[in-house]
Amino acid sequence: MPKLPERKVGIIACSGEELAEGTVARLATLKVLHDLRRGRTVTICLPLFLAGGEGDRAFARFHPTITVDGCDLRCAARGTEMYSGKPTASLVVSDLLAEAGLPAPAGRRCLNDAGERAVAVTADRLAQLVDQVLEPNDVPGDTTADRSLALSDEVPVGTCSCGSGIPVTRVAIDGRTVDVLAMALIFRQFCESGGRVDDPASADRLMATVKIYNEVPPVAEASYREAILREYKEFCAREGVR
Amino acid sequence: MNAHEQRIVVVPCSGIGKTFGSVSREAAYDVCDELRPGATRLLALSKLVLGEEEARERVRNGRTVTIDGCKLMCAAKLVAQSGGTIVREVAVLDVYRQHRDLKPDGIADLNDAGKQLARVIAEEVVKTIDDLHGSSSAGEASHA
């Protein structure tokens, strides 16, 4: 059965190379990704929102996303909102350190002791935010399941391996073009599980899965359903499914 | 054009998920902090993502070196989109293909081979900068 892209908490750092606080943002993000909340979090390079494809820009619409910025310019938070989706939460390293009464870090390339402390404090705060976003019954730090960063077998070729490349299909709904996330994967899974759209209960199940990964406005639900079922029939025709 | 305006803008790719992104950042620091500090200025790519006007103006009015960690070439693309003039476009992977003994590893902590690869890239960038600046830059670098 095809594996659907797994929703994790996305973390996007500004990585601001000019300032030590940017280095803190980047290293704190990596500490959460690789250590504190390994397997529960994913990241993407911020510039991919402009340099990458639609699958990259879908990042914050797919993953509940926390941004980490070094300074008040808030490039990560504002860039994410402009090009991908509104972040669920945002952190600014300089604000966090001021609140904690900690000194400003120094050494953009090689952090001083204050910088190392700032990484630890920022990473801890990030991990707390990740826990708040995740379901309450999730176990922080659980790495027993197969939770690798790979999203699926259908990740578009050429995208970065850091968590981008969510498959997106453009669908006409009510005269508008709408990006539907993970649609082909959902269809394939539905098909392989014996789903049939001529059975209303089965079609409800398909729509429920689509709604896990996509925001379907209640007022447009009927139009979405009509479009998704139409697309599914076309998918079956292409795949030779009867 | 005054000395500040003549500084070459160096833009690494800001890659966070791969070791080659770390190499690009390390190379940029090599150039801007050690090899040619007076002749260059580091620019965070995130500012160009945001479209920050001062950063855009800096690349529009100056000459830029981009250093990218993967084939998506985020730094080069965003500098071009911002109206900048790229005098040297470095792809870390291309340099690595010529120096396969320097296999980088690690993201937060780059291994020694990765640091050496970054140095190779930095020295190539320095050649470009010196060509552009002539003997005055070389003289300045001698005490950097």
Side-chain angles (χ1 to χ4, degrees):
Chain A
M1 186 173 285
K3 204 168 116 186
L4 286 174
E6 186 180 1
R7 278 166 73 103
K8 302 180 182 188
V9 177
I11 304 177
I12 300 178
C14 73
S15 296
E17 287 80 8
E18 296 175 43
L19 298 174
E21 286 84 349
T23 303
V24 170
R26 180 172 55 86
L27 294 179
T29 296
L30 290 169
K31 187 176 172 71
V32 175
L33 283 163
H34 295 164
D35 183 15
L36 300 182
R37 295 297 179 269
R38 184 182 177 86
R40 320 307 302 275
T41 48
V42 67
T43 191
I44 188 172
C45 307
L46 179 66
L48 275 178
F49 289 151
L50 286 180
E54 197 53 44
D56 301 309
R57 283 184 281 278
F59 185 90
R61 279 179 277 139
F62 188 79
H63 301 290
T65 295
I66 302 167
T67 56
V68 195
D69 280 295
C71 73
D72 285 341
L73 267 181
R74 299 175 63 245
C75 295
R78 293 164 66 192
T80 299
E81 184 159 1
M82 282 163 67
Y83 298 110
S84 186
K86 190 173 172 59
T88 304
S90 300
L91 273 185
V92 177
V93 171
S94 54
D95 292 349
L96 187 64
L97 298 181
E99 283 167 23
L102 293 169
R108 62 186 188 182
R109 182 182 203 174
C110 185
L111 291 172
N112 64 356
D113 288 345
E116 296 294 341
R117 179 84 198 279
V119 170
V121 167
T122 306
D124 284 346
R125 180 73 187 120
L126 257 179
Q128 286 172 9
L129 288 171
V130 169
D131 293 345
Q132 288 171 18
V133 171
L134 289 170
E135 295 292 325
N137 58 352
D138 278 358
V139 182
D142 172 17
T143 56
T144 53
D146 177 15
R147 293 175 182 276
S148 70
L149 291 181
L151 287 166
S152 75
D153 295 337
E154 294 194 22
V155 169
V157 173
T159 58
C160 183
S161 64
C162 56
S164 59
I166 295 156
V168 173
T169 306
R170 293 195 157 161
V171 178
I173 301 176
D174 268 350
R176 290 189 310 125
T177 302
V178 174
D179 291 335
V180 180
L181 304 184
M183 192 176 81
L185 294 160
I186 292 169
F187 282 177
R188 196 168 296 282
Q189 188 184 61
F190 181 72
C191 175
E192 290 182 14
S193 69
R196 296 183 63 90
V197 290
D198 52 4
D199 168 16
S202 188
D204 286 348
R205 185 163 57 83
L206 174 63
M207 282 308 296
T209 309
V210 168
K211 284 158 78 174
I212 289 172
Y213 297 95
N214 296 274
E215 189 178 340
V216 176
V219 292
E221 186 148 354
S223 305
Y224 269 71
R225 185 184 179 97
E226 183 187 335
I228 294 295
L229 299 189
R230 180 192 69 226
E231 291 289 328
Y232 183 71
K233 285 173 186 165
E234 288 176 13
F235 168 84
C236 290
R238 280 197 306 275
E239 299 286 315
V241 178
R242 304 184 74 181
Chain B
M1 198 181 277
N2 64 34
H4 178 72
E5 288 169 332
Q6 285 176 343
R7 285 187 175 199
I8 304 291
V9 179
V10 178
V11 186
C13 75
S14 272
I16 193 168
K18 289 179 177 175
T19 190
F20 288 106
S22 300
V23 173
S24 87
R25 183 178 297 107
E26 187 77 8
Y29 283 139
D30 271 348
V31 173
C32 297
D33 289 356
E34 290 184 26
L35 300 176
R36 295 295 182 271
T40 56
R41 184 156 178 193
L42 189 67
L43 178 69
L45 189 55
S46 54
K47 288 182 175 176
L48 294 182
V49 173
L50 187 63
E52 200 237 359
E53 195 45 46
E54 190 187 326
R56 286 169 59 87
E57 199 175 305
R58 213 183 300 163
V59 298
R60 274 200 305 263
N61 294 340
R63 294 170 293 185
T64 303
V65 171
T66 59
I67 309 174
D68 275 294
C70 81
K71 62 185 175 183
L72 291 176
M73 303 293 283
C74 292
K77 282 182 186 172
L78 265 66
V79 167
Q81 281 177 23
S82 303
T85 302
I86 300 174
V87 293
R88 181 75 190 264
E89 191 176 292
V90 179
V92 174
L93 279 166
D94 288 347
V95 181
Y96 171 60
R97 285 190 190 102
Q98 295 159 14
H99 299 272
R100 293 212 179 256
D101 53 320
L102 302 178
K103 186 177 181 184
D105 192 27
I107 298 174
D109 294 309
L110 200 56
N111 67 351
D112 285 344
K115 288 176 182 170
Q116 288 174 50
L117 181 63
R119 195 66 168 199
V120 169
I121 292 166
E123 285 168 355
E124 289 191 11
V125 169
V126 160
K127 282 181 200 161
T128 301
I129 292 169
D130 289 350
D131 286 347
L132 290 167
H133 278 178
S135 57
S136 62
S137 175
E140 176 188 14
S142 64
H143 60 269

